[in-house]
Amino acid sequence: MERALRAVLRCCARGVSPGPWWAEGLRYRSASRAPAAAGGDEERPGPERRGGGQLPSAVPRGGPQDLTRSPPGPRSRPALWHKGYERDPRPAGRESWSWREGECSRVRRRLEQKPLAVGRTKGSEILFGIAPCSLALSQSRRELFRLFLKQGRGSQPLVRSEFVLQATARGVPVLEVSRRELDALCRGQVHQGVCLEATPLRFKSLEEAEKPELKDEENPSRELVWLVLEQIQDPMNLGALLRSAYFLGVDRVVTSQRNSCPLTPTVSKASSGAMEVFDVYSTDDLQSFLKTKTAEGWEVVGTVSRPEEVENVPVISCLEFQWEKPLLVVIGSEGDGLSLETQLLCHRMLAIPPGRALHPGIESLNVSVATGILLHSICSQKQRQGG
């Protein structure tokens, strides 16, 4: 059996079909050993071997087709090779085993790599993740189309049931889809088994930001803190900034329109859903906005990682900073920080003192981490004032 299999593999390696002869060879060997296995006559001697080979070279008259009519005798077994197979390496209706197996593997790989197409409503986007989808369902800030849940109960049946209840209350259809379809919907992001099709969120205008909120009307003497973002481009950073600002009690977030990241599903996921409940405002002229707020009596403070790079603006530690009037905290872009024009409009610059001597190249913090530290230092004073 092993010899016949090796012969088949050699034929496949040369790109030809092994043909019917190898099966006849196996039948001959089984027949020659059958009496001994049954306990009858002694085993008949096998075919003569030629030069240590496995099978004789003689082929019955008439070529390989004769093998299907009568089994070969011990001395007339077919050779491992015959020129008839060279003329027709792949006879009709008898494809090579190795070729069929390889083709099946290629088809299977193409099917696995082909992305699944899931219909989308025009103008919609796909939110992903438990927190963003749950908060979007609980608010009325988006138009909602469909909720997608991973097939099967999974490991969080209570979360799944809550989503179904929320979607039912809002009249949103719930569809169960496979994990591959969820991956295709959110383009491979971490969806935690849930996606939501909805309309995008947009920035609000500065005119809307000037309208007092209900909590401001109840306590008009409370000092306000606004976070101003200049050209934040990374959606992960923007999401982390919104999450920190919401958690620490910032009243408004204003961002520049030029070279800034929009409010995408990635931002919502990075903010852990804070973007779904926290308004974000934008302006196309950040410098004019800062000048207007300064004229209204607001203090404008910027942030800097290297104090020696700042000119004509005092730099103090965030631990020493004290404020007694409405405040704008301005944060610059990830790479360049605040532009020179914006720096010159700041009354003071805040720096975070390091806890050790720093090696070159790691002398600054990520913009979202640095902002979280600064906001905590500033907003803690606001809490002590009873804001």
Side-chain angles (χ1 to χ4, degrees):
M1 178 65 74
E2 294 179 357
R3 299 189 186 100
L5 290 177
R6 284 198 293 271
V8 172
L9 293 176
R10 283 196 292 271
C11 289
C12 293
R14 300 182 63 171
V16 300
S17 173
W21 58 266
W22 65 274
E24 295 296 338
L26 294 178
R27 189 187 310 166
Y28 165 75
R29 289 186 59 85
S30 300
S32 64
R33 296 180 181 271
D41 298 337
E42 295 182 359
E43 179 181 354
R44 291 181 292 178
E48 294 180 359
R49 302 180 182 273
R50 178 168 57 88
Q54 302 299 324
L55 293 172
S57 59
V59 178
R61 186 181 301 273
Q65 291 79 6
D66 293 342
L67 295 176
T68 61
R69 289 195 290 267
S70 60
R75 297 182 181 275
S76 62
R77 254 191 311 177
L80 291 176
W81 189 255
H82 189 268
K83 60 183 180 181
Y85 292 106
E86 295 180 348
R87 291 195 302 270
D88 189 7
R90 188 176 297 164
R94 188 179 295 276
E95 297 177 338
S96 169
W97 173 84
S98 61
W99 181 85
R100 292 197 304 269
E101 185 69 15
E103 184 66 18
C104 290
S105 299
R106 286 192 292 271
V107 171
R108 189 185 306 114
R109 286 195 297 268
R110 285 198 299 268
L111 290 175
E112 291 175 353
Q113 294 172 0
K114 184 179 180 181
L116 298 176
V118 179
R120 288 265 303 276
T121 305
K122 185 177 180 180
S124 68
E125 65 181 13
I126 299 296
L127 288 175
F128 53 91
I130 293 176
C133 294
S134 177
L135 290 170
L137 283 169
S138 66
Q139 303 298 309
S140 301
R141 304 176 65 198
R142 296 178 183 261
E143 184 180 354
L144 308 178
F145 300 110
R146 289 178 295 177
L147 176 68
F148 299 92
L149 297 176
K150 190 176 71 172
Q151 290 175 343
R153 295 186 178 276
S155 59
Q156 302 184 41
L158 295 179
V159 174
R160 181 187 181 88
S161 300
E162 182 65 26
F163 269 113
V164 174
L165 290 175
Q166 285 183 300
T168 303
R170 292 289 304 272
V172 179
V174 180
L175 303 179
E176 291 190 351
V177 297
S178 66
R179 183 186 181 92
R180 286 184 59 207
E181 290 172 308
L182 287 176
D183 292 340
L185 279 170
C186 65
R187 299 181 181 180
Q189 301 286 345
V190 181
H191 49 70
Q192 298 174 298
V194 56
C195 290
L196 179 64
E197 184 182 14
T199 54
L201 282 181
R202 308 296 183 188
F203 292 113
K204 292 194 171 184
S205 65
L206 277 180
E207 289 74 15
E208 296 176 281
E210 298 297 339
K211 297 178 182 179
E213 292 184 351
L214 178 61
K215 59 183 180 181
D216 298 337
E217 295 176 347
E218 293 175 350
N219 187 9
S221 62
R222 186 177 65 90
E223 300 297 351
L224 301 178
V225 178
W226 287 19
L227 178 64
V228 182
L229 307 176
E230 184 182 35
Q231 299 184 12
I232 299 296
Q233 301 176 359
D234 190 330
M236 301 299 291
N237 282 335
L238 179 57
L241 287 166
L242 294 179
R243 185 175 184 177
S244 297
Y246 177 78
F247 182 85
L248 294 171
V250 171
D251 298 286
R252 298 283 195 278
V253 174
V254 180
T255 180
S256 60
Q257 289 183 0
R258 186 171 61 90
N259 296 331
S260 295
C261 176
L263 299 178
T264 65
T266 302
V267 175
S268 184
K269 181 65 166 61
S271 72
S272 192
M275 190 184 89
E276 304 301 321
V277 298
F278 194 37
D279 291 329
V280 184
Y281 304 86
S282 69
T283 175
D284 56 358
D285 192 346
L286 186 61
Q287 281 76 34
S288 296
F289 166 70
L290 296 179
K291 291 177 182 178
T292 301
K293 302 305 285 185
T294 299
E296 294 176 358
W298 289 59
E299 182 176 7
V300 180
V301 296
T303 56
V304 61
S305 58
R306 297 182 179 88
E308 65 275 5
E309 297 180 358
V310 180
E311 298 180 3
N312 302 323
V313 181
V315 179
I316 64 172
S317 168
C318 64
L319 303 177
E320 303 172 358
F321 174 68
Q322 301 290 327
W323 58 285
E324 297 178 352
K325 55 183 178 179
L327 185 67
L328 296 176
V329 182
V330 190
I331 306 295
S333 64
E334 293 90 347
D336 300 329
L338 292 176
S339 63
L340 179 60
E341 295 83 359
T342 301
Q343 286 186 25
L344 296 177
L345 294 175
C346 295
H347 301 124
R348 287 182 282 183
M349 302 292 286
L350 303 182
I352 300 174
R356 58 156 52 91
L358 303 176
H359 287 280
I362 49 174
E363 301 164 316
S364 62
L365 293 168
N366 172 271
V367 62
S368 62
V369 175
T371 303
I373 296 173
L374 292 172
L375 290 178
H376 180 267
S377 177
I378 292 170
C379 293
S380 61
Q381 298 181 37
K382 174 178 166 182
Q383 293 173 354
R384 287 194 295 268
Q385 295 170 3

